[in-house]
Amino acid sequence: KSEFQVLRVLHANASSSAPAGKADANLFNEASQVVLARDGKRTVISMLNDYKGPLSEFALVVPTPVTLKEGQVRVADKATFARLDAYSSPRLAEYHDDNPCRLESSWGQVRPMMEMMKSMASAAPAPTARSMQDMSRDKALGVTVDVQYTLEEYDIISLSATQSDGLETWLAENGYKLPKGASAALRPYINQGMKFFVAKVNLKEQLKAGYSTLRTLQFAFESDKFMLPMRLGMLNANPDKAQDLIVYTLTRQGRVESSNYRTVKLPSNVNLPPMIKPKFQDFYKAMFDKQAVQENLRVVFTEYFWDMGWCDPCADQPLSPQELKNAGVFWDTAQAPPVLTRLHVRYNATSFPEDLMFTQTKDRQNWQTRYVMQTPYESSVAQCSA
């Protein structure tokens, strides 16, 4: 039997660091991450699975607005998550005070420089045949298997359903171990006319491929809906424990925010004392914990928004055109560099009663969760009145 895995994704293991420190996704245990590339009606979603059991017992089920056909799904490079995390992580920027003796005689030039710095700181394989008996049973349960094929080490099915109980029965009869409450969780998606993308590991193909861990799946579709079906994933979650979700959106026009929940920026551009430097991750985690509690786990936090053509300061280098393509960006980045929005959600089963819906704004004002540590000039200033 396969464990019912629903939109649970692996946090990236980024190794790059900011000049003084950063708070990457590893800071939040079991943080799920999703990459969404969006322009017009076209969306490309990438996800990694955090399943750690036997591959024979794994399955992924994701609601989608349309049926995903061959050619719309591919096995992608999981390094994308590490690169996006490294590039957009909240960071501590360290500035060293210059020799005041050297600046003493040119204060008229220094003041405009300081004002400028202050201003900047705010800144396809053959389908698998199904028997007539199988199709007859599917029809009786209100389930229609629209597409079925093998993609590298994954067996993939895209299906639709007319009743949640029938879909729950179909999944159980086809070897999927369902958590309690599956039928009720599936019902809203069926009522919306959504489809279901189902992937299982093909052990023979996986053995031939030689991979010991699950690779990321990426799928593309066109729909008016710009959304992420997070509610179904709560079936596998600990009801007494809040979950963290980090969403990286790559868009052509501007900043992305939620259209059905408040989107707020975290405190940023704050000067911190030097003692924080070795404890920056502890500081950031405590700050985020407090903000989430103050908002009753009911908001979407913006952690980063920037034009990917450049960065200042850089926690890591911007993604190359090939890396952006691997992340799902499908337009000409030489003509229109994507803008990256990093959103962080902490939620539980009751605080987010609806799936995340997004809207792309025209806001292109770069912003980041950036903290500043100013290190005093350490040499002798005994002969300097400044």
Side-chain angles (χ1 to χ4, degrees):
K1 296 238 175 189
S2 299
E3 182 175 348
F4 193 69
Q5 296 286 315
V6 193
L7 221 158
R8 297 284 297 146
V9 289
L10 177 68
H11 57 77
N13 184 22
S15 58
S16 300
S17 62
K22 68 172 186 173
D24 60 25
N26 291 312
L27 184 60
F28 300 92
N29 292 333
E30 299 182 0
S32 299
Q33 294 187 64
V34 179
V35 179
L36 297 171
R38 171 82 171 184
D39 186 46
K41 295 184 178 182
R42 184 174 176 82
T43 301
V44 180
I45 299 181
S46 306
M47 58 179 60
L48 280 168
N49 302 293
D50 64 356
Y51 178 71
K52 298 178 177 63
L55 295 182
S56 59
E57 298 183 4
F58 167 82
L60 175 73
V61 180
V62 182
T64 58
V66 297
T67 298
L68 298 182
K69 300 178 180 179
E70 294 182 68
Q72 292 178 268
V73 184
R74 75 182 189 96
V75 180
D77 186 358
K78 68 178 182 180
T80 296
F81 287 81
R83 288 286 285 116
L84 287 170
D85 183 31
Y87 176 79
S88 64
S89 292
R91 73 285 315 269
L92 175 64
E94 183 176 8
Y95 294 95
H96 294 265
D97 289 351
D98 209 337
N99 183 347
C101 298
R102 184 174 63 84
L103 296 176
E104 182 177 15
S105 62
S106 56
W107 175 245
Q109 299 175 16
V110 174
R111 185 183 298 276
M113 183 189 307
M114 293 184 66
E115 292 299 322
M116 181 183 71
M117 291 177 63
K118 181 178 179 181
S119 174
M120 288 177 62
S122 62
T128 305
R130 291 178 60 79
S131 68
M132 293 297 294
Q133 183 178 357
D134 289 339
M135 290 186 286
S136 178
R137 178 58 175 164
D138 295 348
K139 185 176 180 180
L141 295 172
V143 174
T144 302
V145 176
D146 300 306
V147 179
Q148 183 175 15
Y149 59 96
T150 298
L151 175 66
E152 299 190 39
E153 68 265 36
Y154 289 101
D155 287 334
I156 291 175
I157 294 175
S158 193
L159 56 85
S160 55
T162 58
Q163 51 182 319
S164 58
D165 291 343
L167 178 55
E168 182 178 17
T169 300
W170 187 94
L171 289 167
E173 290 183 355
N174 283 271
Y176 298 88
K177 184 180 179 181
L178 303 178
K180 185 177 180 180
S183 179
L186 293 167
R187 188 175 300 118
Y189 299 104
I190 293 175
N191 292 341
Q192 295 176 55
M194 295 188 71
K195 313 298 181 181
F196 295 90
F197 170 81
V198 184
K200 289 197 297 186
V201 177
N202 184 310
L203 295 179
K204 290 183 179 179
E205 294 299 323
Q206 192 271 340
L207 184 63
K208 287 194 295 184
Y211 294 103
S212 58
T213 58
L214 291 172
R215 293 192 292 167
T216 184
L217 283 168
Q218 183 181 88
F219 41 93
F221 54 84
E222 293 196 5
S223 171
D224 290 327
K225 295 181 178 180
F226 185 17
M227 56 92 71
L228 186 64
M230 58 184 287
R231 288 288 306 173
L232 196 55
M234 294 180 186
L235 285 172
N236 287 331
N238 184 340
D240 300 322
K241 184 178 179 181
Q243 300 183 70
D244 282 281
L245 170 66
I246 297 175
V247 181
Y248 308 95
T249 66
L250 295 162
T251 53
R252 193 169 185 169
Q253 294 183 356
R255 179 178 57 82
V256 170
E257 63 183 32
S258 173
S259 59
N260 59 336
Y261 294 100
R262 285 177 55 233
T263 303
V264 300
K265 293 178 180 176
L266 288 161
S268 182
N269 294 313
V270 178
N271 275 48
L272 302 178
M275 61 171 287
I276 291 293
K277 182 176 179 179
K279 301 178 180 180
F280 177 65
Q281 289 198 343
D282 295 335
F283 155 80
Y284 187 81
K285 187 175 186 300
M287 183 278 296
F288 187 89
D289 291 347
K290 184 174 182 178
Q291 294 295 314
V293 170
Q294 287 180 342
E295 297 289 353
N296 297 313
L297 308 185
R298 294 183 183 275
V299 303
V300 177
F301 290 106
T302 300
E303 284 188 318
Y304 189 89
F305 170 69
W306 210 273
D307 184 324
M308 289 213 73
W310 68 291
C311 57
D312 179 29
C314 290
D316 200 27
Q317 292 302 309
L319 275 66
S320 68
Q322 184 58 52
E323 287 176 318
L324 290 171
K325 184 177 179 180
N326 293 342
V329 176
F330 48 88
W331 59 88
D332 184 355
T333 56
Q335 299 295 324
V339 288
L340 169 65
T341 306
R342 175 178 173 136
L343 302 172
H344 190 161
V345 185
R346 178 169 293 175
Y347 64 100
N348 58 32
T350 58
S351 65
F352 270 64
E354 299 177 354
D355 288 323
L356 268 176
M357 306 295 294
F358 300 110
T359 184
Q360 185 177 176
T361 72
K362 295 187 181 298
D363 178 14
R364 296 186 66 92
Q365 184 174 353
N366 296 322
W367 183 89
Q368 54 185 284
T369 42
R370 169 180 172 270
Y371 303 89
V372 178
M373 182 183 71
Q374 290 180 294
T375 301
Y377 180 68
E378 296 178 349
S379 297
S380 173
V381 292
Q383 305 301 317
C384 176
S385 61

